Amino acid sequence: MKRLFCALLALALCVGGVSAGALSVEQNPTLDLKAASTILMEKETGTVLCENNSHQQLEPASVTKVMTLLLVMEAIDGGQLSMEDTVTVSANASGMGGSQTYMKEGEQFTVHDMLKCVCVVSANDASVALAEHLCGSEASFVDKMNQRAAELGMADTVFHNCTGLPTPGHVTSAYDIALMSRELILNHPEIREFTTIWMDSIRDGAFGLANTNKLIRYYEGATGLKTGSTDAAGYCLSATAERDGMELIAVVMKASTTGDRFETAKTLLNYGFATYAMVEAQPGEVLPPVAVLMGERDWVQPVASGGGRILVRKADQGRITTEIQLQEDVEAPVEQGQKLGELIVLVDGTEETRIPITASEEVTRLTFPGVFCRLLETLLGK
């Protein structure tokens, strides 16, 4: 049996918006977007807030390095690398050209400093050195890049190198860049240590680094992520920024000038922050305990799991309600995290999402002696 509780979810927030479930992609003709392809995505839900030609296959230039960074960070988190590991620069890596830190063959840097070079100045030599250190060769690393792209659903992408240097057939899309950018910042937030650096140095201060992403200094809440430009690709950018607990990803491809790419990214981010927000969707009252049959305890406390954050529009602020569907009882054993019901979130009466309600702790099943003792206590009126 289930019992149904309804409660108005009071939201005391300065901004709001449509939840992820109901959001439709907008073309936004009123936005001044000076680029061939753009997209704006919210990090936590992966919701696309607006887009323009977001699946057009284009050359990404050094925005390619978002995937390079993702694989390196995954290797660090997986224990294959550490920030303190020493990377030796090969002749191949030192000869990359383009954006670089002029690493010499045989020169050694920590993974930490290599990442700093990639994130801050888009160093091709550091990118290839990391790729070779992790997989033995850049070619093997590129195979891994394409495999990971397929896993992330990046259907518009083919990588031929880890740097973004011009190569025939090396293409991706704004949508795919947003996917890999989201994967990086969502699951590896420590990358911010590098992507938020404005100025730094390597070689004990002898070689200065200045971030190619000017938004880091001039845009409120900027957290990264990666610039890129070549004659063929134009000016590209995956820009991330966070305000009021919501992080957005704005991808710009094939802008005509570096100014256009930054202004277009700012336009997208400003639109997102002005129109949307993440809000907590929680029950308006304490959830009642659920009876446990044949358990060592008579009840278990249910809790809404996963934080219950949803994406909403300002226009819908104050129209959010919740309904609680909760089991009346459950038979032991009960596992911690076992589903006991759902918190249904509605915007203006339309269902937007369902958040699981789960057991806050485990309850073991009564043993035969326990059943006997429980029966005896009942008979004796205890």
Side-chain angles (χ1 to χ4, degrees), residues 265-278:
K266 286 166 61 178
T267 297
L268 289 166
L269 293 169
N270 287 341
Y271 165 77
F273 287 126
T275 311
Y276 303 94
M278 297 297 297

Side-chain angles (χ1 to χ4, degrees), residues 1-49:
M1 293 185 292
K2 293 185 177 181
R3 48 193 172 189
L4 182 65
F5 303 88
C6 298
L8 178 67
L9 183 66
L11 300 176
L13 297 172
C14 62
V15 290
V18 177
S19 80
L23 185 64
S24 59
V25 176
E26 298 185 29
Q27 299 298 324
N28 286 297
T30 58
L31 296 182
D32 185 16
L33 305 177
K34 298 176 180 178
S37 175
T38 62
I39 195 169
L40 180 67
M41 179 181 286
E42 190 278 318
K43 177 192 74 174
E44 190 169 322
T45 64
T47 303
V48 174
L49 305 181

Side-chain angles (χ1 to χ4, degrees), residues 292-315:
V292 179
L293 307 177
M294 299 298 293
E296 292 285 351
R297 296 182 56 189
D298 293 331
W299 56 271
V300 66
Q301 182 62 45
V303 294
S305 63
R309 280 163 53 91
I310 63 169
L311 185 66
V312 295
R313 276 186 197 271
K314 275 188 177 180

Side-chain angles (χ1 to χ4, degrees), residues 32-34 215 258-268:
D32 185 16
L33 305 177
K34 298 176 180 178
L215 297 182
T258 185
D260 283 350
R261 72 171 163 187
F262 289 128
E263 286 304 312
T264 297
K266 286 166 61 178
T267 297
L268 289 166

Side-chain angles (χ1 to χ4, degrees), residues 14 21 92 99 132 137 140 161 163-164 169 171 206 256 298 328 330 377-378:
C14 62
N92 180 50
S99 301
E132 292 174 340
S137 69
S140 295
N161 58 54
T163 61
V171 294
S256 298
D298 293 331
E328 225 174 48
V330 61
E377 288 174 359
T378 301

